[in-house]
Amino acid sequence: MRALVPLLFLGLALAQVAKPVETFQKALGSLPPGGKVEVESRNGRLLAATYQGPKNAAFLAQMVEKATGEAFGPALLDWYAKNAKALEGQRLVLNLGEAYTLELALTEPMRARIAPKQVSESAFGQDRLVLGKGGPLLRVFSDFQCPYCQRLAQTVLPRLKALAEKGEVRVSYRHFPLKEIHPEALPAAMASECAHRQGAFWAYHDRLMQGRLGDYLGLARSLGLDEKAFLACLQDPKVKEEVEGERALALRLGLRGTPTVFAGPFRVPNPFDLEQVLDYLALAR
């Protein structure tokens, strides 16, 4: 896939992917003469939109921006102006940021499909650290020392955890320690695994996400965990292997930072936007 990085990341309008289909159709407005747009839906939500018709870069940019709510248009128009002749007749796939793909056929008629990035459910492997017993699954690839992960855990996850307790969603924590820049990320992840062995992962997770890193035995003690078992667990090579295995998975999936969040197979563009997270969970249901 080729990468197309937008010149601007300012939100233009509400992203329509994962919203009810009719809202996208209203937002898109009139079509170019001879052109048509078909939508794909899942659970009544917009999954993808496809334009077919005369070559019209301006409309293509408009459709992409309406679907994503991001300012991909200027970069897309600039790229098209510079490459249109060389790409005549070609079919390609562009990465739009981290969360969308644009399948493009520069033929007559032109065909373009915008959709969220997806990962096969089987590619994620086993989910072990799961809160909740029903509903769609939200996977959070995270790092305990990452300030953005701590922000997500303190602002968005409490609402999702409340829904998980009602059986409406499931939240899966996946280790992605960025140990090259966060020296406490791997030790903290290992300590959380040892808390998990005593049934206290999420309580321990919440304390770590408050920035309480380093005194892992002290945190275990505050939760009433068995200290001897906890210390023995920290020395168990299988614990490090478990964490490193999840990190390796994240790298194989092409993830580049934390937090990275998937609702079912779909990558959530902005996990700090609770409404968008809930929309994507509805799409994944």
Side-chain angles (χ1 to χ4, degrees):
M1 290 185 179
R2 303 188 183 201
L4 181 68
V5 179
L7 297 176
L8 299 172
F9 286 93
L10 302 176
L12 294 179
L14 193 65
Q16 299 301 325
V17 167
K19 290 287 185 185
V21 170
E22 57 270 16
T23 63
F24 173 72
Q25 294 169 328
K26 292 178 182 178
L28 193 57
S30 58
L31 306 182
K36 64 178 181 178
V37 171
E38 296 180 349
V39 298
E40 299 167 48
S41 65
R42 174 170 168 160
N43 301 324
R45 305 274 174 155
L46 179 67
L47 175 60
T50 300
Y51 167 75
Q52 184 168 313
K55 292 187 179 72
N56 190 315
F59 179 77
L60 175 60
Q62 175 184 331
M63 184 179 79
V64 166
E65 291 192 338
K66 293 296 185 183
T68 66
E70 295 189 44
F72 291 114
L76 182 60
L77 288 171
D78 181 64
W79 172 84
Y80 186 83
K82 292 177 179 177
N83 296 280
K85 289 184 179 180
L87 296 173
E88 187 72 30
Q90 290 195 33
R91 300 173 184 271
L92 60 156
V93 179
L94 301 175
N95 285 315
L96 298 184
E98 298 287 345
Y100 301 98
T101 58
L102 178 64
E103 300 172 23
L104 192 59
L106 295 173
T107 55
E108 285 291 354
M110 178 185 191
R111 187 176 185 278
R113 179 180 183 269
I114 178 73
K117 286 188 178 179
Q118 297 187 49
V119 172
S120 169
E121 292 277 7
S122 62
F124 289 109
Q126 182 182 7
D127 291 280
R128 300 175 304 105
L129 307 173
V130 180
L131 185 67
K133 296 188 180 300
L137 182 63
L138 191 79
R139 295 181 175 93
V140 182
F141 285 83
S142 193
D143 169 326
F144 287 112
Q145 197 176 356
C146 162
Y148 297 102
C149 299
Q150 293 174 6
R151 173 187 162 197
L152 186 75
Q154 295 171 24
T155 59
V156 176
L157 281 186
R159 172 61 174 155
L160 297 173
K161 287 163 69 177
L163 294 175
E165 291 174 359
K166 297 178 181 178
E168 297 179 16
V169 302
R170 291 169 292 151
V171 180
S172 170
Y173 186 91
R174 305 302 296 259
H175 295 294
F176 188 17
L178 305 178
K179 57 185 182 180
E180 298 86 354
I181 58 174
H182 295 153
E184 289 297 328
L186 181 57
M190 292 171 59
S192 74
E193 284 287 339
C194 292
H196 171 59
R197 288 190 178 185
Q198 298 191 44
F201 171 79
W202 285 100
Y204 202 88
H205 162 281
D206 292 348
R207 284 162 173 76
L208 290 175
M209 286 301 185
Q210 293 169 0
R212 297 170 64 179
L213 305 176
D215 184 11
Y216 302 115
L217 180 59
L219 283 185
R221 186 181 298 117
S222 72
L223 290 172
L225 303 186
D226 184 309
E227 295 181 29
K228 184 177 179 180
F230 187 85
L231 286 172
C233 174
L234 290 177
Q235 302 303 316
D236 185 346
K238 292 182 180 179
V239 174
K240 185 176 181 181
E241 289 174 9
E242 191 76 60
V243 174
E244 290 283 14
E246 291 235 318
R247 170 184 156 84
L249 169 65
L251 294 174
R252 287 198 303 273
L253 292 175
L255 308 190
R256 299 194 292 180
T258 55
T260 298
V261 176
F262 291 87
F266 307 110
R267 181 160 177 169
V268 180
N270 180 10
F272 298 101
D273 182 342
L274 176 60
E275 182 177 352
Q276 186 176 81
V277 172
L278 295 175
D279 284 337
Y280 269 74
L281 284 167
L283 182 68
R285 189 174 297 277

